[in-house]
Amino acid sequence: MTDESSSGSVPSVEYVSGTGIPVRGNDVDTDQIIPARFMKVVTFDGLGEYAFFDQRFDSSSEGDAAPVGDDDLKEHPFNEERFQGANVLVVNANFGCGSSREHAPQALMRWGIDAVVGESFAEIFAGNCLALGIPTVTASEETIVELQNFVESNPDADISIDVTDETITYGGETVDGRVDDAQRSALVEGIWDTTTLMRMNRSEIESTATDLPYIATDD
């Protein structure tokens, strides 16, 4: 998926490849992706099992946070054996709308998703994906429908996303996609992980801080 950047610390994300999983429907909001009751976690570890929880399971109670049995499974692509191990999510319009919760892309990433291809994305959701190094690639409605149909019929087939060239290749065909200019630069240049970048430049940050009159120091 990634190549190490010249810094050796933040990986660049130029390509993503793997099998696909389709989630159909417009306006899939963050509460569908990860219900609010699962946001009480101290860390994001393990959040993947709760992705699309209310769409995947009949919970015994409104506040039930525990995984339920097979008898409680609903029909959902994330429950289908043929899509287990998929890492390219294919969605429709306005995916990730509704809130700014970063738990939504965290849950998808920890389920195994490395890239999302769709008609359009909520801006904050796309930004939260970028913070995790997950490309959100847009394409026309016709292209997305064809790709979803392809994935449904060929769950074991690879999909390749070229972030630099903004293309999606599947079934011997390459189609145009689009990656936001700022997102593409951050992914390709390996500057999407701001936390790591701040750690890498700690001395410069501390030097700048000493020159700021409103930052108190122990000196």
Side-chain angles (χ1 to χ4, degrees), residues 81-97:
E81 182 64 30
R82 60 183 177 147
F83 294 129
Q84 302 307 303
N87 64 336
V88 178
L89 178 61
V90 187
V91 300
N92 295 103
N94 200 29
F95 187 82
C97 60

Side-chain angles (χ1 to χ4, degrees), residues 12-13 30 45-46 62 84 86 113 124 149 166 199:
S12 63
V13 182
T30 52
D45 295 341
E62 186 66 23
Q84 302 307 303
I113 298 302
I124 296 177
N149 291 340
E166 300 180 271
R199 283 200 297 264

Side-chain angles (χ1 to χ4, degrees), residues 65-82:
V68 291
D70 290 343
D71 291 343
D72 299 311
L73 291 176
K74 296 180 180 179
E75 289 188 8
H76 191 278
F78 273 53
N79 286 341
E80 294 188 39
E81 182 64 30
R82 60 183 177 147

Side-chain angles (χ1 to χ4, degrees), residues 31-155:
D31 201 50
Q32 293 179 60
I33 299 171
I34 183 71
R37 64 185 183 277
F38 299 122
M39 295 172 62
K40 300 174 184 176
V41 295
V42 177
T43 73
F44 295 121
D45 295 341
L47 208 58
E49 65 181 295
Y50 302 121
F52 293 109
F53 190 89
D54 290 340
Q55 279 68 49
R56 296 168 58 199
F57 302 103
D58 280 320
S59 187
S60 58
S61 69
E62 186 66 23
D64 188 358
V68 291
D70 290 343
D71 291 343
D72 299 311
L73 291 176
K74 296 180 180 179
E75 289 188 8
H76 191 278
F78 273 53
N79 286 341
E80 294 188 39
E81 182 64 30
R82 60 183 177 147
F83 294 129
Q84 302 307 303
N87 64 336
V88 178
L89 178 61
V90 187
V91 300
N92 295 103
N94 200 29
F95 187 82
C97 60
S99 79
S100 61
R101 68 184 65 166
E102 60 184 312
H103 299 66
Q106 284 279 357
L108 295 176
M109 181 184 73
R110 291 168 194 282
W111 190 86
I113 298 302
D114 293 324
V116 191
V117 182
E119 294 175 44
S120 63
F121 300 94
E123 184 176 355
I124 296 177
F125 173 82
N128 287 336
C129 284
L130 174 61
L132 299 175
I134 299 175
T136 46
V137 184
T138 57
S140 68
E141 178 180 0
E142 180 182 10
T143 295
I144 293 300
V145 170
E146 290 177 353
L147 181 56
Q148 288 177 324
N149 291 340
F150 174 82
V151 172
E152 288 275 6
S153 301
N154 303 275

Side-chain angles (χ1 to χ4, degrees), residues 153-204:
S153 301
N154 303 275
D156 297 325
D158 276 345
I159 301 170
S160 297
I161 297 169
D162 189 320
V163 176
T164 304
D165 290 343
E166 300 180 271
T167 59
I168 307 158
T169 300
Y170 66 97
E173 180 181 8
T174 297
V175 297
D176 292 331
R178 186 176 190 287
V179 183
D180 174 81
D181 290 345
Q183 179 186 139
R184 187 174 68 255
S185 296
L187 291 170
V188 173
E189 295 173 15
I191 54 174
W192 52 270
D193 187 344
T194 54
T195 301
T196 298
L197 288 174
M198 290 180 68
R199 283 200 297 264
M200 291 166 53
N201 295 281
R202 181 173 179 174
S203 61
E204 294 180 36

